[in-house]
């Protein structure tokens, strides 16, 4: 056990039941000792290389290995599928460039939440962080974690299928490991992300190079075959879009940690532009390689596209491919948890989530409570939901609020024209991106009304939650006592204190 001095707790004569237990209430928080030699803050440890690894390492996960099936299924032909991959890459670049402007002009962590708060006020921002906490992040983490569990066990069960319970147990172990690493050290999380990013790119190259060799030899007949699916319809395009955009999702993750980025005015745009070019080229070439080896029917019949590709082309070496893919998924899990914990941290600092989530470990300097808060919901989703249902379920709310955040950029251009903008994009880029997001979200209500309707209903629960937890100040005294007691108890257990950088 560490012998570090225990921070002072307000209690006894200092305890005030009329101020404790609100959301948040700083009057009764665990405070760092005045004799502490080191300020308790989140430090600037994200340089350009780490920023690139956060973006690339989070984007390249299960999407490129799972989503080709969804895109082809909803587009119908190989050329249409490749066109959708290209369109999603261009659209993601537009969104990334818009976020580069937002990240440099609003130098605060929190990404979507912070930008919506700045442009449209606390209600919209609260609904955003509420839906992130109860559906988007647990579902997103569950999707990529299930892919990790599937691929890491694949070599052990070949040629048989992997038992579902084994996948979910392995997935739970992986999530637990990621939560632990991010709770213990920011530096180790960043170093792990850099290493896993190189593994990801290695896995992509293992697929691209043999595929390009076959393509140069004239293996192009698969590009002209239909997938024998039903005719392409307008209503199916949103689902293809969701699959493609899910594969590119991650370009906004550096904006979650803006306050920890060294020289953010330069490093955020550079990291975003470099990462998006690398990922888009890799994704398109990977899909071309898939179709150089596999027919549309073979791709649709495969539950693990990358593994099927390797089995067809690499023989015994194909056993290594699932390991690379599993490491890729593990990197996406790590990057996602590392980044999104900062959104909860910032929302708590603004008074929209319990105060304990804005506290930092006294020695590790990590936002430990904000990291582990997602653990129970994420594990629960593993055992109650289907992989593809989760993918469509979370997409509605995610892209609705990303579109709203980019609309905020347009609104701030009009409302605050003199705002400092070190990086500025042409106006048509955010306008086109926002309109496309809203159009696809609206069309999805027709294409997949059940999952979209559930997502919409859960999103709307954020409105009464805002008035209940944030606006309502006159809460019962017993409730405030209970919340204050829980906050102090968790501070002692977790050894966390409020950040000294943003004290009132």
């Amino acid at each position: 056990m560490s012998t570090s001095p225990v921070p002072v707790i307000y209690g006894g004569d200092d305890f005030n039941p009329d101020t404790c237990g609100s959301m948040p209430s700083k009057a009764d928080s665990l405070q760092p000792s005045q004799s502490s030699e080191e300020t308790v803050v989140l430090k600037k440890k994200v340089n350009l290389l780490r920023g690139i690894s956060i973006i690339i390492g989070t984007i390249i996960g299960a999407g490129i290995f799972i989503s080709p099936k969804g895109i082809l299924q909803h587009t119908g032909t190989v050329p249409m599928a490749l066109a959708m991959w290209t369109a999603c890459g261009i659209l993601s670049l537009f969104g990334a460039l818009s976020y580069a402007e937002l990240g440099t002009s609003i130098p605060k962590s929190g990404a979507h939440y912070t930008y919506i708060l700045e442009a449209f006020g606390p209600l919209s921002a609260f609904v955003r962080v509420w839906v992130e906490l109860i559906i988007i992040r647990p579902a997103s983490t569950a999707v990529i974690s299930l892919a990790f569990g599937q691929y890491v066990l694949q070599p052990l069960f070949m040629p048989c299928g992997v038992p579902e319970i084994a996948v979910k147990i392995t997935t739970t172990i992986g999530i637990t490991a990621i939560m632990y690493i991010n709770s213990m050290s920011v530096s180790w999380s960043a170093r792990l992300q850099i290493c896993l990013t190189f593994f990801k790119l290695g896995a992509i190259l293992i697929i691209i190079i043999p595929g390009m060799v076959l393509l140069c030899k004239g293996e192009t007949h698969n590009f002209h075959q239909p997938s024998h699916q039903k005719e392409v319809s307008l209503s199916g395009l949103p689902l293809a879009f969701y699959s493609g955009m899910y594969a590119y999702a991650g370009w906004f993750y550096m904006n979650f940690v803006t306050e920890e980025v060294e020289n953010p005015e330069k490093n955020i745009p550079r990291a975003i532009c470099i990462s998006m070019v690398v990922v888009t080229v890799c994704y398109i070439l990977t899909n071309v390689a898939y179709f150089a080896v596999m027919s549309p029917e073979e791709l649709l019949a495969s539950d693990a596209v990358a593994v099927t590709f390797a089995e067809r082309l690499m023989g015994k070496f194909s056993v290594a491919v699932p390991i690379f893919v599993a490491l890729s998924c593990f990197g996406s899990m790590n990057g996602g948890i590392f980044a999104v914990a900062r959104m909860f941290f910032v929302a708590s600092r603004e008074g929209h989530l319990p105060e304990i989530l804005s506290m930092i470990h006294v020695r590790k300097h990590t936002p430990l409570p904000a990291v582990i808060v997602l653990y129970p919901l994420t594990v629960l989703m593993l055992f109650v939901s289907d992989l593809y249902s989760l993918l469509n379920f979370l997409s509605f709310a995610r892209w609705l609020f990303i579109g709203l955040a980019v609309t905020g950029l347009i609104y701030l251009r009009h409302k605050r024209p003199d705002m400092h903008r070190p990086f500025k994009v042409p106006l048509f880029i955010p306008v086109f991106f926002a309109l496309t997001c809203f159009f696809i979200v609206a069309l999805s209500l027709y294409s997949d009304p059940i999952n979209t309707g559930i997502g919409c209903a859960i999103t709307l629960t954020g409105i009464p939650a805002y008035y209940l937890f944030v606006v309502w100040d006159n809460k019962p005294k017993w409730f405030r006592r209970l919340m204050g007691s829980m906050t102090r108890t968790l501070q002692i257990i977790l050894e966390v204190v409020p950040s000294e950088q943003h004290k009132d």
Side-chain angles (χ1 to χ4, degrees), residues 76-243:
T77 64
V78 172
M80 280 291 294
L82 293 176
M84 180 60 73
W85 276 103
T86 304
C88 288
I90 294 172
L91 187 61
S92 296
L93 177 61
F94 281 7
L97 291 173
S98 300
Y99 266 55
E101 176 175 330
L102 286 166
T104 54
S105 58
I106 305 174
K108 298 178 183 178
S109 297
H112 327 305
Y113 167 81
T114 299
Y115 308 145
I116 293 172
L117 177 66
E118 191 81 15
F120 303 115
L123 175 58
S124 300
F126 176 85
V127 172
R128 175 64 184 91
V129 77
W130 170 265
V131 76
E132 181 80 28
L133 179 62
I134 66 174
I135 176 176
I136 293 180
R137 189 47 44 188
S140 181
T141 305
V143 168
I144 190 68
S145 301
L146 285 169
F148 163 78
Q150 174 72 29
Y151 277 101
V152 79
L153 294 176
Q154 193 83 25
L156 302 179
F157 288 87
M158 286 180 175
C160 301
V162 182
E164 185 178 355
I165 187 64
V167 171
K168 293 185 176 179
I169 291 173
T170 304
T171 297
T172 304
I173 295 171
I175 293 172
T176 304
I178 287 294
M179 296 286 182
Y180 178 79
I181 293 169
N182 279 272
S183 298
M184 291 298 102
S185 173
V186 172
S187 294
W188 275 106
S189 298
R191 290 168 188 159
L192 175 64
Q193 191 68 12
I194 292 173
C195 292
L196 291 174
T197 298
F198 283 106
F199 278 114
K200 292 169 184 282
L201 295 176
I204 292 291
L205 287 175
I206 287 174
I207 293 172
I208 290 176
I209 293 174
M212 293 301 104
V213 171
L214 282 179
L215 198 64
C216 292
K217 292 180 178 179
E219 295 288 337
T220 60
H221 59 278
N222 289 331
F223 292 88
H224 308 294
Q225 294 184 24
S227 66
H228 299 296
Q229 295 292 310
K230 62 184 179 181
E231 240 179 71
V232 180
S233 65
L234 184 63
S235 62
L237 293 181
L239 298 181
F241 167 81
Y242 282 165
S243 293

Side-chain angles (χ1 to χ4, degrees), residues 284-299:
I284 294 173
L285 292 180
T286 299
N287 278 277
V288 171
Y290 281 150
F291 290 117
V293 175
M294 303 168 64
S295 68
E297 289 73 22
E298 290 171 330
L299 190 144

Side-chain angles (χ1 to χ4, degrees), residues 365-503:
H365 291 194
T366 61
L368 191 151
V371 171
I372 65 175
V373 68
L374 286 171
Y375 186 78
L377 271 176
T378 303
V379 173
L380 177 63
M381 282 207 173
L382 296 179
F383 293 90
V384 299
S385 300
D386 171 72
L387 186 65
Y388 279 96
S389 294
L390 284 175
L391 177 59
N392 294 329
F393 187 62
L394 66 91
S395 291
F396 163 78
R398 166 180 280 173
W399 296 109
L400 172 66
F401 284 103
I402 289 177
L404 186 61
V406 175
T407 301
L409 182 155
I410 302 167
Y411 176 68
L412 289 173
R413 287 272 191 100
H414 172 72
K415 182 181 178 182
R416 297 166 63 179
D418 298 327
M419 186 178 188
H420 179 57
R421 293 180 175 87
F423 181 84
K424 191 173 181 179
V425 297
L427 190 60
F428 81 89
I429 288 179
V431 169
F432 181 77
F433 179 80
L435 288 176
T436 303
C437 284
F438 292 141
F439 173 74
I440 296 294
V441 167
L443 200 56
S444 68
L445 286 167
Y446 172 75
S447 303
D448 191 12
I450 295 177
N451 283 320
T452 304
I454 293 172
C456 183
I458 294 176
T459 301
L460 291 176
T461 62
I463 297 175
Y466 172 75
Y467 287 99
L468 178 63
F469 295 121
V470 178
V471 175
W472 183 30
D473 288 329
N474 191 26
K475 296 180 178 67
K477 185 174 291 187
W478 64 265
F479 178 79
R480 288 181 278 129
R481 282 182 178 274
L482 176 63
M483 292 297 292
S485 176
M486 289 176 60
T487 299
R488 292 190 301 278
T489 301
L490 287 172
Q491 284 185 256
I492 294 171
I493 294 172
L494 300 177
E495 297 185 78
V496 294
V497 295
S499 171
E500 296 185 7
Q501 190 174 21
H502 291 276
K503 281 186 176 181

